[in-house]
Amino acid sequence: MSMYNGLPVMAVALRKGGVGKTLFSVLLAQYLGHVSKTPRRVLLIDLDTQQNASESLLDMGESSSVSGEYKIPPTHPDYDENDPDTEGWNGISSSADIFYGDDPIIAPYPTRFDNLEILPAVGSALQAVEMVRSDEVKEMIYERLKEFFNDPSVHESYDLIIIDTPPGKGAINRSVLRAVTHVLYPVVPEEKPMDGLRSMLQFERMERRYRDSPIEVVGIVPNMVKMGTKLHAENLEIMRNDPLIGGLMTDFYIGQRIAFPTIDKPGILPDTIWKFSNYPEAKKEAFQLCEFVENKLFPK
């Protein structure tokens, strides 16, 4: 039997930050759940301490415990303080709950987009996961995501899971690479992101020894490309000729366009690029990315 009863679980990953992991994760989640001609039930899991995906889809509040350094999710709409089945729960659920306790309450939140739910991030809790030093506890953390995805109720609830990952090679990303079925790599054609890509590909290969089946690389997608610059044009050519990278690169790229950072702002209207009446080139590139990934995940 295939992993997770055929449920695709895709990470958007790179060791380097600032390459577009959150942008790709949110665009794909919105498109595959709400915009596609074949909408699917999508769960977006935010594992990034920066919480940007969570803020783009939920009304996050200020943390009372970390002096506002991190945001906290709102009270879950299904929370009932009088329900005996949820005794001890404060009504807030986050992606970090996957890594804590023997039987945590993990309750994804509905969003304003049809068929799209999110398990939001709590930065302080995710940092605590990364800071674990005990080897025994680390091994438990490494297996937590796989255990969550193996839950039959998850298979019944969703057609696709997308994970917005943190940068680096810590405990959370080890758990991700041991659990996912697919991975998508956005990369800016500049030296540090390219080094981060090579490092991530090697990291992925190291983690294969802990898996029963290989990870399918959906593609390496150049992002924030400035085609008018010699640097980006040369680096794209370097990547295409790299034996580790070239065969995985897409034949399209996402340009550096003002539309993409614009939609990251909380409270911006329209609240998604799919509703923008202008920025036709950005929408065209977003459609190309999403249709490419959809065909890879759900081949006809």
Side-chain angles (χ1 to χ4, degrees):
M1 181 181 293
S2 60
M3 289 182 71
Y4 317 132
N5 202 30
L7 172 70
V9 179
M10 183 182 72
V12 183
L14 200 78
R15 184 180 180 183
K16 179 79 171 60
V19 297
K21 294 189 295 291
T22 296
L23 171 68
F24 280 24
S25 298
V26 173
L27 279 177
L28 287 162
Q30 291 176 352
Y31 176 87
L32 292 165
H34 183 68
V35 180
S36 169
K37 294 178 181 178
T38 309
R40 295 169 176 92
R41 299 167 300 167
V42 179
L43 172 62
L44 175 60
I45 300 179
D46 187 359
L47 291 177
D48 190 348
T49 57
Q50 295 185 45
Q51 304 175 282
N52 292 330
S54 302
E55 287 193 81
S56 73
L57 293 170
L58 292 179
D59 293 324
M60 302 283 280
E62 294 291 338
S63 169
S64 58
S65 60
V66 200
S67 303
E69 184 178 355
Y70 296 104
K71 302 284 186 176
I72 56 173
T75 301
H76 197 281
D78 293 338
Y79 174 61
D80 180 357
E81 61 180 1
N82 298 314
D83 186 346
D85 292 335
T86 59
E87 185 177 355
W89 183 39
N90 64 359
I92 293 175
S93 186
S94 83
S95 59
D97 294 335
I98 295 173
F99 302 98
Y100 287 103
D102 294 326
D103 190 24
I105 293 177
I106 301 171
Y109 289 71
T111 70
R112 60 188 179 277
F113 297 96
D114 294 341
N115 302 314
L116 173 56
E117 294 186 347
I118 184 170
L119 198 52
V122 171
S124 55
L126 289 171
Q127 277 205 339
V129 174
E130 294 282 32
M131 295 296 290
V132 165
R133 291 291 177 260
S134 164
D135 289 341
E136 182 179 352
V137 175
K138 279 185 179 180
E139 284 301 323
M140 293 173 59
I141 287 172
Y142 297 159
E143 298 300 316
R144 287 292 192 178
L145 278 171
K146 189 185 298 183
E147 293 170 3
F148 175 67
F149 299 143
N150 269 317
D151 187 330
S153 67
V154 174
H155 309 164
E156 294 167 2
S157 300
Y158 304 105
D159 302 309
L160 169 66
I161 296 176
I162 297 173
I163 306 174
D164 183 20
T165 64
K169 298 198 293 185
I172 290 175
N173 272 335
R174 286 188 184 276
S175 184
V176 168
L177 290 179
R178 294 187 188 188
V180 296
T181 61
H182 297 74
V183 64
L184 178 72
Y185 295 113
V187 61
V188 180
E190 295 173 3
E191 183 177 356
K192 289 185 177 179
M194 288 163 61
D195 287 344
L197 172 62
R198 294 185 183 96
S199 176
M200 200 72 189
L201 289 169
Q202 292 165 355
F203 183 33
E204 174 208 321
R205 290 184 176 188
M206 288 175 57
E207 292 303 309
R208 290 180 188 177
R209 57 188 159 168
Y210 301 103
R211 296 176 53 91
D212 298 325
S213 59
I215 299 175
E216 181 176 338
V217 177
V218 175
I220 295 171
V221 184
N223 187 33
M224 292 186 271
V225 176
K226 304 175 188 175
M227 280 311 295
T229 65
K230 182 179 179 182
L231 174 66
H232 280 199
E234 288 180 347
N235 283 337
L236 285 172
E237 192 63 23
I238 288 171
M239 285 194 289
R240 288 192 188 100
N241 292 323
D242 187 314
L244 185 64
I245 298 171
L248 301 172
M249 278 183 64
T250 58
D251 58 5
F252 64 89
Y253 61 83
I254 306 297
Q256 186 176 53
R257 303 189 184 281
I258 193 63
F260 295 126
T262 296
I263 61 172
D264 285 340
K265 295 179 181 179
I268 194 73
L269 292 174
D271 57 5
T272 172
I273 197 169
W274 310 113
K275 296 179 182 178
F276 278 19
S277 57
N278 46 4
Y279 303 119
E281 290 302 315
K283 286 180 70 173
K284 178 181 177 181
E285 291 178 358
F287 271 112
Q288 191 169 26
L289 168 68
C290 293
E291 289 171 351
F292 168 80
V293 172
E294 181 176 35
N295 290 332
K296 287 281 189 174
L297 296 177
F298 304 99
K300 297 177 181 178

CSV table of all heavy atoms in Angstrom, one decimal, residues 77-128:
chain,number,residue,atom,x,y,z
A,77,PRO,N,-12.9,28.0,16.3
A,77,PRO,CA,-14.3,28.2,16.2
A,77,PRO,C,-15.1,27.0,16.8
A,77,PRO,O,-16.3,27.2,17.1
A,77,PRO,CB,-14.6,28.3,14.7
A,77,PRO,CG,-13.4,27.8,14.0
A,77,PRO,CD,-12.2,28.0,14.9
A,78,ASP,N,-14.5,25.8,16.8
A,78,ASP,CA,-15.3,24.6,17.4
A,78,ASP,C,-15.0,24.4,18.8
A,78,ASP,O,-15.5,23.5,19.4
A,78,ASP,CB,-14.8,23.4,16.6
A,78,ASP,CG,-15.3,23.4,15.2
A,78,ASP,OD1,-16.3,24.1,14.8
A,78,ASP,OD2,-14.7,22.6,14.3
A,79,TYR,N,-14.3,25.3,19.5
A,79,TYR,CA,-14.0,25.1,20.9
A,79,TYR,C,-15.2,25.3,21.8
A,79,TYR,O,-15.9,26.3,21.6
A,79,TYR,CB,-12.9,26.1,21.3
A,79,TYR,CG,-12.5,26.1,22.8
A,79,TYR,CD1,-12.1,24.9,23.4
A,79,TYR,CD2,-12.7,27.3,23.5
A,79,TYR,CE1,-11.8,24.9,24.7
A,79,TYR,CE2,-12.4,27.2,24.9
A,79,TYR,CZ,-11.9,26.1,25.5
A,79,TYR,OH,-11.6,26.1,26.8
A,80,ASP,N,-15.4,24.4,22.7
A,80,ASP,CA,-16.5,24.5,23.7
A,80,ASP,C,-15.9,24.1,25.0
A,80,ASP,O,-15.5,23.0,25.3
A,80,ASP,CB,-17.6,23.5,23.3
A,80,ASP,CG,-18.7,23.5,24.3
A,80,ASP,OD1,-18.7,24.3,25.3
A,80,ASP,OD2,-19.7,22.8,24.1
A,81,GLU,N,-15.7,25.1,25.9
A,81,GLU,CA,-15.1,24.9,27.2
A,81,GLU,C,-15.8,24.0,28.1
A,81,GLU,O,-15.3,23.4,29.0
A,81,GLU,CB,-14.9,26.3,27.9
A,81,GLU,CG,-16.2,27.0,28.2
A,81,GLU,CD,-16.0,28.3,28.9
A,81,GLU,OE1,-14.8,28.6,29.2
A,81,GLU,OE2,-17.0,29.0,29.3
A,82,ASN,N,-17.1,23.7,27.7
A,82,ASN,CA,-17.9,22.8,28.5
A,82,ASN,C,-17.9,21.3,28.0
A,82,ASN,O,-18.5,20.4,28.5
A,82,ASN,CB,-19.4,23.2,28.6
A,82,ASN,CG,-19.5,24.6,29.3
A,82,ASN,OD1,-18.9,24.8,30.3
A,82,ASN,ND2,-20.2,25.5,28.7
A,83,ASP,N,-17.2,21.1,26.9
A,83,ASP,CA,-17.1,19.8,26.3
A,83,ASP,C,-16.1,18.9,27.1
A,83,ASP,O,-14.9,19.2,27.1
A,83,ASP,CB,-16.7,19.9,24.8
A,83,ASP,CG,-16.7,18.5,24.1
A,83,ASP,OD1,-16.8,17.5,24.8
A,83,ASP,OD2,-16.6,18.6,22.9
A,84,PRO,N,-16.6,17.8,27.7
A,84,PRO,CA,-15.7,17.0,28.5
A,84,PRO,C,-14.6,16.3,27.7
A,84,PRO,O,-13.5,16.0,28.2
A,84,PRO,CB,-16.6,16.0,29.1
A,84,PRO,CG,-17.8,15.9,28.2
A,84,PRO,CD,-17.9,17.3,27.7
A,85,ASP,N,-14.8,16.2,26.4
A,85,ASP,CA,-13.8,15.5,25.5
A,85,ASP,C,-12.6,16.4,25.3
A,85,ASP,O,-11.5,16.0,24.8
A,85,ASP,CB,-14.4,15.1,24.2
A,85,ASP,CG,-15.4,14.0,24.3
A,85,ASP,OD1,-15.3,13.3,25.3
A,85,ASP,OD2,-16.3,13.9,23.5
A,86,THR,N,-12.7,17.7,25.6
A,86,THR,CA,-11.6,18.6,25.3
A,86,THR,C,-11.1,19.2,26.7
A,86,THR,O,-10.5,20.3,26.7
A,86,THR,CB,-12.0,19.8,24.4
A,86,THR,OG1,-13.1,20.5,24.9
A,86,THR,CG2,-12.4,19.2,23.0
A,87,GLU,N,-11.3,18.5,27.7
A,87,GLU,CA,-10.9,19.0,29.0
A,87,GLU,C,-9.4,19.2,29.0
A,87,GLU,O,-8.6,18.4,28.6
A,87,GLU,CB,-11.2,18.0,30.1
A,87,GLU,CG,-10.9,18.5,31.5
A,87,GLU,CD,-11.4,17.5,32.6
A,87,GLU,OE1,-12.0,16.5,32.2
A,87,GLU,OE2,-11.1,17.7,33.8
A,88,GLY,N,-9.0,20.4,29.5
A,88,GLY,CA,-7.6,20.7,29.6
A,88,GLY,C,-7.1,21.5,28.3
A,88,GLY,O,-5.9,22.0,28.3
A,89,TRP,N,-7.9,21.6,27.3
A,89,TRP,CA,-7.5,22.3,26.1
A,89,TRP,C,-8.0,23.8,26.2
A,89,TRP,O,-9.1,24.1,26.7
A,89,TRP,CB,-8.2,21.7,24.9
A,89,TRP,CG,-7.8,22.3,23.6
A,89,TRP,CD1,-6.6,22.7,23.2
A,89,TRP,CD2,-8.7,22.5,22.4
A,89,TRP,NE1,-6.6,23.2,21.9
A,89,TRP,CE2,-7.9,23.0,21.4
A,89,TRP,CE3,-10.0,22.2,22.2
A,89,TRP,CZ2,-8.4,23.4,20.2
A,89,TRP,CZ3,-10.6,22.5,21.0
A,89,TRP,CH2,-9.8,23.1,19.9
A,90,ASN,N,-7.1,24.7,25.8
A,90,ASN,CA,-7.5,26.1,25.9
A,90,ASN,C,-8.1,26.7,24.7
A,90,ASN,O,-8.4,27.9,24.5
A,90,ASN,CB,-6.2,26.9,26.3
A,90,ASN,CG,-5.2,26.9,25.2
A,90,ASN,OD1,-5.3,26.2,24.1
A,90,ASN,ND2,-4.1,27.6,25.4
A,91,GLY,N,-8.4,25.8,23.7
A,91,GLY,CA,-9.1,26.2,22.5
A,91,GLY,C,-8.1,26.8,21.4
A,91,GLY,O,-8.6,27.2,20.3
A,92,ILE,N,-6.8,26.7,21.6
A,92,ILE,CA,-5.9,27.1,20.6
A,92,ILE,C,-5.1,25.9,20.1
A,92,ILE,O,-4.6,25.1,20.9
A,92,ILE,CB,-4.9,28.2,21.2
A,92,ILE,CG1,-5.7,29.5,21.5
A,92,ILE,CG2,-3.8,28.5,20.2
A,92,ILE,CD1,-4.9,30.5,22.1
A,93,SER,N,-5.0,25.7,18.8
A,93,SER,CA,-4.3,24.6,18.2
A,93,SER,C,-3.2,25.1,17.3
A,93,SER,O,-3.4,26.2,16.7
A,93,SER,CB,-5.3,23.7,17.4
A,93,SER,OG,-4.6,22.6,17.0
A,94,SER,N,-2.1,24.4,17.3
A,94,SER,CA,-1.0,24.9,16.4
A,94,SER,C,-0.2,23.7,15.9
A,94,SER,O,-0.4,22.6,16.4
A,94,SER,CB,-0.1,25.8,17.1
A,94,SER,OG,0.9,25.1,17.9
A,95,SER,N,0.6,23.9,14.9
A,95,SER,CA,1.4,22.9,14.3
A,95,SER,C,2.4,22.2,15.3
A,95,SER,O,2.7,21.1,15.2
A,95,SER,CB,2.2,23.4,13.1
A,95,SER,OG,3.0,24.5,13.4
A,96,ALA,N,2.8,23.0,16.3
A,96,ALA,CA,3.7,22.5,17.3
A,96,ALA,C,3.1,21.4,18.1
A,96,ALA,O,3.8,20.5,18.7
A,96,ALA,CB,4.2,23.6,18.2
A,97,ASP,N,1.8,21.4,18.2
A,97,ASP,CA,1.1,20.3,19.0
A,97,ASP,C,1.4,18.9,18.4
A,97,ASP,O,1.3,18.0,19.2
A,97,ASP,CB,-0.5,20.6,18.9
A,97,ASP,CG,-0.9,21.9,19.6
A,97,ASP,OD1,-0.1,22.3,20.5
A,97,ASP,OD2,-1.9,22.4,19.3
A,98,ILE,N,1.7,18.8,17.2
A,98,ILE,CA,2.1,17.5,16.6
A,98,ILE,C,3.2,16.9,17.3
A,98,ILE,O,3.3,15.7,17.5
A,98,ILE,CB,2.4,17.7,15.1
A,98,ILE,CG1,1.1,18.1,14.3
A,98,ILE,CG2,2.9,16.4,14.5
A,98,ILE,CD1,1.4,18.4,12.8
A,99,PHE,N,4.1,17.8,17.8
A,99,PHE,CA,5.4,17.3,18.4
A,99,PHE,C,5.3,17.1,19.9
A,99,PHE,O,6.3,16.7,20.5
A,99,PHE,CB,6.5,18.2,18.1
A,99,PHE,CG,6.7,18.4,16.6
A,99,PHE,CD1,6.2,19.5,15.9
A,99,PHE,CD2,7.4,17.5,15.8
A,99,PHE,CE1,6.4,19.7,14.6
A,99,PHE,CE2,7.6,17.7,14.5
A,99,PHE,CZ,7.1,18.8,13.8
A,100,TYR,N,4.2,17.5,20.5
A,100,TYR,CA,4.1,17.5,22.0
A,100,TYR,C,3.1,16.5,22.5
A,100,TYR,O,2.0,16.3,21.9
A,100,TYR,CB,3.7,18.9,22.5
A,100,TYR,CG,4.7,19.9,22.4
A,100,TYR,CD1,4.7,20.9,21.4
A,100,TYR,CD2,5.8,20.0,23.3
A,100,TYR,CE1,5.7,21.9,21.3
A,100,TYR,CE2,6.8,20.9,23.3
A,100,TYR,CZ,6.7,21.9,22.2
A,100,TYR,OH,7.7,22.9,22.2
A,101,GLY,N,3.4,15.8,23.6
A,101,GLY,CA,2.5,15.0,24.3
A,101,GLY,C,2.1,13.7,23.6
A,101,GLY,O,2.5,13.5,22.4
A,102,ASP,N,1.4,12.8,24.3
A,102,ASP,CA,1.1,11.5,23.8
A,102,ASP,C,-0.2,11.5,23.0
A,102,ASP,O,-0.4,10.8,22.0
A,102,ASP,CB,0.9,10.5,24.9
A,102,ASP,CG,2.3,10.2,25.6
A,102,ASP,OD1,3.3,10.2,24.9
A,102,ASP,OD2,2.3,10.0,26.8
A,103,ASP,N,-1.1,12.4,23.4
A,103,ASP,CA,-2.4,12.5,22.7
A,103,ASP,C,-2.9,13.9,22.6
A,103,ASP,O,-3.9,14.3,23.2
A,103,ASP,CB,-3.5,11.6,23.4
A,103,ASP,CG,-4.8,11.5,22.6
A,103,ASP,OD1,-4.7,11.6,21.4
A,103,ASP,OD2,-5.8,11.2,23.3
A,104,PRO,N,-2.2,14.8,21.9
A,104,PRO,CA,-2.6,16.2,21.8
A,104,PRO,C,-3.8,16.4,21.0
A,104,PRO,O,-4.1,15.6,20.1
A,104,PRO,CB,-1.4,16.9,21.1
A,104,PRO,CG,-0.8,15.8,20.3
A,104,PRO,CD,-1.0,14.5,21.0
A,105,ILE,N,-4.5,17.5,21.3
A,105,ILE,CA,-5.7,17.9,20.4
A,105,ILE,C,-5.1,18.7,19.3
A,105,ILE,O,-4.6,19.8,19.5
A,105,ILE,CB,-6.7,18.7,21.2
A,105,ILE,CG1,-7.3,17.8,22.3
A,105,ILE,CG2,-7.8,19.3,20.3
A,105,ILE,CD1,-8.3,18.5,23.2
A,106,ILE,N,-5.2,18.2,18.1
A,106,ILE,CA,-4.8,18.9,16.9
A,106,ILE,C,-6.0,19.2,16.0
A,106,ILE,O,-6.6,18.3,15.5
A,106,ILE,CB,-3.8,18.0,16.1
A,106,ILE,CG1,-2.6,17.6,17.0
A,106,ILE,CG2,-3.3,18.6,14.8
A,106,ILE,CD1,-1.7,16.5,16.4
A,107,ALA,N,-6.3,20.5,16.0
A,107,ALA,CA,-7.5,21.0,15.3
A,107,ALA,C,-7.2,22.0,14.3
A,107,ALA,O,-7.1,23.2,14.7
A,107,ALA,CB,-8.5,21.5,16.4
A,108,PRO,N,-7.1,21.7,13.0
A,108,PRO,CA,-6.9,22.7,12.0
A,108,PRO,C,-8.0,23.7,11.9
A,108,PRO,O,-9.2,23.4,12.3
A,108,PRO,CB,-6.8,21.9,10.7
A,108,PRO,CG,-6.3,20.5,11.2
A,108,PRO,CD,-7.0,20.3,12.5
A,109,TYR,N,-7.7,24.9,11.5
A,109,TYR,CA,-8.7,26.0,11.4
A,109,TYR,C,-9.2,26.1,10.0
A,109,TYR,O,-8.5,26.0,9.0
A,109,TYR,CB,-8.0,27.3,11.8
A,109,TYR,CG,-7.6,27.5,13.2
A,109,TYR,CD1,-6.6,26.8,13.8
A,109,TYR,CD2,-8.3,28.4,14.1
A,109,TYR,CE1,-6.2,26.9,15.1
A,109,TYR,CE2,-8.0,28.6,15.4
A,109,TYR,CZ,-6.9,27.9,15.9
A,109,TYR,OH,-6.6,28.0,17.2
A,110,PRO,N,-10.5,26.4,9.9
A,110,PRO,CA,-11.0,26.8,8.6
A,110,PRO,C,-10.5,28.2,8.2
A,110,PRO,O,-10.1,29.0,9.1
A,110,PRO,CB,-12.5,26.8,8.8
A,110,PRO,CG,-12.7,27.1,10.3
A,110,PRO,CD,-11.5,26.4,10.9
A,111,THR,N,-10.4,28.4,6.9
A,111,THR,CA,-10.0,29.7,6.4
A,111,THR,C,-11.1,30.3,5.6
A,111,THR,O,-12.1,29.7,5.4
A,111,THR,CB,-8.7,29.6,5.6
A,111,THR,OG1,-9.0,29.0,4.3
A,111,THR,CG2,-7.6,28.8,6.3
A,112,ARG,N,-10.9,31.5,5.1
A,112,ARG,CA,-11.9,32.2,4.3
A,112,ARG,C,-12.0,31.6,2.9
A,112,ARG,O,-12.8,32.0,2.1
A,112,ARG,CB,-11.6,33.7,4.2
A,112,ARG,CG,-10.3,34.0,3.6
A,112,ARG,CD,-10.0,35.5,3.7
A,112,ARG,NE,-8.7,35.9,3.1
A,112,ARG,CZ,-7.5,35.8,3.8
A,112,ARG,NH1,-7.5,35.3,5.0
A,112,ARG,NH2,-6.4,36.1,3.2
A,113,PHE,N,-11.1,30.6,2.6
A,113,PHE,CA,-11.1,30.0,1.3
A,113,PHE,C,-11.7,28.6,1.4
A,113,PHE,O,-11.4,27.8,2.3
A,113,PHE,CB,-9.7,29.8,0.7
A,113,PHE,CG,-9.0,31.1,0.5
A,113,PHE,CD1,-8.2,31.7,1.5
A,113,PHE,CD2,-9.2,31.8,-0.7
A,113,PHE,CE1,-7.5,32.9,1.3
A,113,PHE,CE2,-8.6,33.1,-0.9
A,113,PHE,CZ,-7.8,33.6,0.1
A,114,ASP,N,-12.6,28.3,0.5
A,114,ASP,CA,-13.3,27.0,0.5
A,114,ASP,C,-12.2,25.9,0.4
A,114,ASP,O,-11.2,26.0,-0.3
A,114,ASP,CB,-14.2,26.9,-0.7
A,114,ASP,CG,-15.4,27.8,-0.6
A,114,ASP,OD1,-15.7,28.3,0.5
A,114,ASP,OD2,-16.0,28.1,-1.7
A,115,ASN,N,-12.5,24.8,1.1
A,115,ASN,CA,-11.6,23.6,1.0
A,115,ASN,C,-10.2,23.8,1.5
A,115,ASN,O,-9.4,22.9,1.3
A,115,ASN,CB,-11.6,23.0,-0.4
A,115,ASN,CG,-12.9,22.7,-1.0
A,115,ASN,OD1,-13.7,22.1,-0.3
A,115,ASN,ND2,-13.2,23.2,-2.2
A,116,LEU,N,-9.9,24.9,2.2
A,116,LEU,CA,-8.6,25.1,2.7
A,116,LEU,C,-8.6,25.3,4.2
A,116,LEU,O,-9.3,26.2,4.7
A,116,LEU,CB,-8.0,26.3,2.0
A,116,LEU,CG,-6.6,26.8,2.6
A,116,LEU,CD1,-5.6,25.7,2.6
A,116,LEU,CD2,-6.1,28.0,1.8
A,117,GLU,N,-7.9,24.4,4.9
A,117,GLU,CA,-7.7,24.6,6.4
A,117,GLU,C,-6.2,24.8,6.7
A,117,GLU,O,-5.4,24.4,5.9
A,117,GLU,CB,-8.3,23.4,7.1
A,117,GLU,CG,-9.8,23.2,7.0
A,117,GLU,CD,-10.3,22.1,7.9
A,117,GLU,OE1,-9.5,21.3,8.4
A,117,GLU,OE2,-11.5,22.0,8.1
A,118,ILE,N,-5.9,25.4,7.8
A,118,ILE,CA,-4.6,25.6,8.2
A,118,ILE,C,-4.3,25.2,9.6
A,118,ILE,O,-5.2,25.3,10.5
A,118,ILE,CB,-4.2,27.1,8.0
A,118,ILE,CG1,-2.7,27.3,8.3
A,118,ILE,CG2,-5.0,28.0,8.8
A,118,ILE,CD1,-2.1,28.6,7.9
A,119,LEU,N,-3.2,24.6,9.9
A,119,LEU,CA,-2.7,24.3,11.2
A,119,LEU,C,-1.6,25.4,11.4
A,119,LEU,O,-0.5,25.2,10.9
A,119,LEU,CB,-2.1,22.9,11.3
A,119,LEU,CG,-1.9,22.3,12.7
A,119,LEU,CD1,-3.2,22.4,13.5
A,119,LEU,CD2,-1.5,20.9,12.6
A,120,PRO,N,-1.9,26.4,12.1
A,120,PRO,CA,-1.0,27.6,12.2
A,120,PRO,C,0.2,27.4,13.1
A,120,PRO,O,0.3,26.4,13.8
A,120,PRO,CB,-1.9,28.7,12.8
A,120,PRO,CG,-2.9,28.0,13.6
A,120,PRO,CD,-3.2,26.7,12.9
A,121,ALA,N,1.2,28.3,12.9
A,121,ALA,CA,2.4,28.2,13.7
A,121,ALA,C,2.3,29.0,15.0
A,121,ALA,O,1.6,30.1,15.0
A,121,ALA,CB,3.6,28.7,12.8
A,122,VAL,N,3.0,28.6,16.0
A,122,VAL,CA,3.2,29.4,17.2
A,122,VAL,C,4.8,29.4,17.3
A,122,VAL,O,5.4,28.4,17.6
A,122,VAL,CB,2.6,28.9,18.5
A,122,VAL,CG1,3.1,29.6,19.7
A,122,VAL,CG2,1.1,29.0,18.4
A,123,GLY,N,5.4,30.5,17.0
A,123,GLY,CA,6.8,30.6,16.9
A,123,GLY,C,7.6,30.1,18.1
A,123,GLY,O,8.6,29.4,18.0
A,124,SER,N,7.1,30.5,19.3
A,124,SER,CA,7.9,30.1,20.5
A,124,SER,C,7.8,28.6,20.7
A,124,SER,O,8.8,28.0,21.1
A,124,SER,CB,7.3,30.8,21.7
A,124,SER,OG,5.9,30.6,21.8
A,125,ALA,N,6.7,28.0,20.4
A,125,ALA,CA,6.5,26.6,20.6
A,125,ALA,C,7.4,25.8,19.6
A,125,ALA,O,8.0,24.8,19.9
A,125,ALA,CB,5.1,26.1,20.5
A,126,LEU,N,7.4,26.3,18.3
A,126,LEU,CA,8.3,25.6,17.3
A,126,LEU,C,9.8,25.8,17.6
A,126,LEU,O,10.6,24.9,17.4
A,126,LEU,CB,8.0,26.2,15.9
A,126,LEU,CG,6.6,25.8,15.3
A,126,LEU,CD1,6.4,26.6,14.1
A,126,LEU,CD2,6.5,24.3,15.1
A,127,GLN,N,10.1,27.0,18.2
A,127,GLN,CA,11.5,27.1,18.6
A,127,GLN,C,11.9,26.2,19.7
A,127,GLN,O,13.0,25.6,19.7
A,127,GLN,CB,11.8,28.6,19.1
A,127,GLN,CG,12.0,29.5,17.9
A,127,GLN,CD,12.8,30.8,18.4
A,127,GLN,OE1,12.9,31.1,19.6
A,127,GLN,NE2,13.4,31.4,17.4
A,128,ALA,N,11.0,25.9,20.6
A,128,ALA,CA,11.2,25.0,21.7
A,128,ALA,C,11.5,23.6,21.1
A,128,ALA,O,12.3,22.8,21.6
A,128,ALA,CB,10.1,24.9,22.7
